Amino acid sequence: MIGFSISVSVIVPFLFLFFYLSSKIIYTKKYKENYSIKNHFIFEFNDDGYKENIIGNIFLILATILFIPLLIFYYRFSKNGYFLFSSISMILILIFINLLSFVPLRKLKEHLLFSSFVFSLTFLSFLSLSIGLYKTYEFYEQIIFLIL
């Protein structure tokens, strides 16, 4: 199981990088302008529909699908309820980020709904993770859990 976790941990960033590079190439060809991560949002890759950027979208979906088992296996090693909530909320964050990348800004209600879910779940996830690490620190009394 550890070998699977390590290999997936190496593959997922490359899949996301392939998503970014292939989507950037398609965006540049389509709009005759360079995509800059400083000036554009991720949903602009699929602004006129997700079918034009199908290769990049496949890489994004694969990266998400492979990352979810890592979050599930993370909880398997730690039976803390705070970590369980954090893992579940991180899985939901990944799903909503993917949905957010497929919803154009023309559908403002859906876009704002998914964005709100991402922001609030991110806050709750890190809050839960912080409380869980503090409880772990109280139990083991090792300073590393407090630093984390």
Side-chain angles (χ1 to χ4, degrees), residues 15 18-20 22-23 26 53-61:
L15 287 173
F18 293 150
F19 154 72
Y20 175 73
S22 63
S23 298
I26 292 170
N53 189 21
I54 193 73
I55 296 170
N57 293 333
I58 288 172
F59 284 129
L60 180 64
I61 292 170

Side-chain angles (χ1 to χ4, degrees), residues 14-27 42 45-46 50-64 98 101-102:
F14 283 112
L15 287 173
F16 187 75
L17 182 67
F18 293 150
F19 154 72
Y20 175 73
L21 293 176
S22 63
S23 298
K24 184 177 178 178
I25 291 169
I26 292 170
Y27 183 88
I42 194 170
F45 286 140
N46 297 314
Y50 61 89
K51 292 180 182 178
E52 295 174 354
N53 189 21
I54 193 73
I55 296 170
N57 293 333
I58 288 172
F59 284 129
L60 180 64
I61 292 170
L62 281 174
T64 302
N98 272 344
S101 69
F102 293 119

